[in-house]
Each structure stands twice: as C-alpha cells, then as structure tokens.
Amino acid sequence: MSDRSDVKTPRPSPAITRAWIGLMRTQQIVLAAIEQDFKAAELPPLGWYDVLWELTQAAAGKLRPYEIEERTLLAQHNLSRLLDRMEKAGLVYREVFSDDGRGRWVIITEAGSAMRSRMWAVYAQALQRHLGDKLDDTEADQLAGLLAMLSRKP
C-alpha cells in the first residue's frame, strides 16, 4: 500500500485565481447590465434573444430542441419552459417532423424575427456601452483570443 498523504494537490497561482474571480465577476456584472437594458426597453430576457438568433441562423429558421440546447448552452428543462413561453408569445412554434410524433422542429415566426431585430437594437447598444466603450478593437481581439483558449476542450 502506498501512503498518498505526501502527494501535493496542484493549486492555482494567485494570478490564475485573480483571473478566475475577474472573469466570473465581469460576466455577472455585464450580463446583469444587459438584462437591465432589456427590461428597461420592455423586452424579454437575453435567453430569448439567444434562441431567436440561433433560429435565425439556421436553415429555414428551424432547429430541433437538442440543437438549440447545444448552441445556447441552456439546460434541457430550462429550454423546454423557455420554448413554451416563447410559443405562447407567438415568437416560435413547434412542428412535428416524424411519423411517430416524437420529433419536433422549433420554427421562428415572423413575430419572432421582428422581436429579434428589436432586441438586437438594444443589445448592440448594450454591447457597445459595456464592452466597446471600454476596449478598443485590438484589446477586444486579444480578449476574444484568450477566452477562446479557455473554452477549448482538453
């Protein structure tokens, strides 16, 4: 038997810890500010925009729910409830695509496209105010590169 009590657990450096704390705080601050901008404009939350954007980018404006889940990183149970609310608001509808009735497409409506455009007008201003006014394009490219490094799977 070996005694593992002498094995050292790797610990992040102070710089890595500061970077992590900064990343988490910045994400929360910027997301909260953008959500507040949407609320002030009497628009739905950011998650709605994300779904509408992905549907707009998809062929024929439709995706299967699992595809939306993968692209937006929304959990399946949250996405189902969100799609229910969006369908009730007339922004999307669901259509059966398989003979057994289990498969469904989520399809953006004309009203959904119009809402995405309204939301983008507010979102674009928010991005500029909360990021663009604080970073020049070179800094933004550097940040995007660093974030891309962090999001790569090992």
Side-chain angles (χ1 to χ4, degrees):
M1 267 197 214
S2 68
D3 181 6
R4 294 186 176 252
S5 62
D6 61 344
V7 176
K8 290 188 176 183
T9 303
R11 299 206 187 276
S13 69
I16 296 298
T17 303
R18 281 192 310 275
W20 174 252
I21 291 168
L23 181 63
M24 293 296 98
R25 286 183 181 163
T26 300
Q27 177 197 25
Q28 289 177 349
I29 290 166
V30 173
L31 284 176
I34 291 169
E35 290 287 9
Q36 183 56 43
D37 292 340
F38 280 143
K39 188 175 183 179
E42 298 181 357
L43 292 170
L46 183 57
W48 291 44
Y49 180 86
D50 291 343
V51 171
L52 294 171
W53 169 254
E54 293 301 339
L55 289 169
T56 300
Q57 299 305 299
K62 64 184 182 179
L63 292 168
R64 294 172 63 184
Y66 82 87
E67 293 172 314
I68 297 171
E69 182 181 339
E70 289 173 352
R71 293 176 187 202
T72 61
L73 304 178
L74 292 167
Q76 191 277 327
H77 64 281
N78 291 335
L79 178 61
S80 293
R81 289 193 302 257
L82 175 63
L83 291 174
D84 288 343
R85 291 190 301 273
M86 293 177 75
E87 189 168 27
K88 186 175 179 180
L91 304 178
V92 300
Y93 67 95
R94 295 174 188 150
E95 182 178 274
V96 174
F97 74 85
S98 66
D99 292 336
D100 65 9
R102 288 184 290 177
R104 299 208 185 281
W105 290 111
V106 178
I107 303 167
I108 192 168
T109 64
E110 195 173 304
S113 293
M115 176 60 75
R116 193 211 59 81
S117 293
R118 285 184 50 220
M119 292 179 80
W120 174 245
V122 172
Y123 198 9
Q125 290 175 358
L127 289 175
Q128 181 59 41
R129 185 171 50 262
H130 302 298
L131 272 75
D133 290 350
K134 298 174 183 177
L135 302 173
D136 63 29
D137 284 351
T138 300
E139 293 166 330
D141 282 339
Q142 290 171 340
L143 179 58
L146 292 169
L147 293 171
M149 287 173 40
L150 292 176
S151 65
R152 285 189 203 121
K153 293 186 179 179

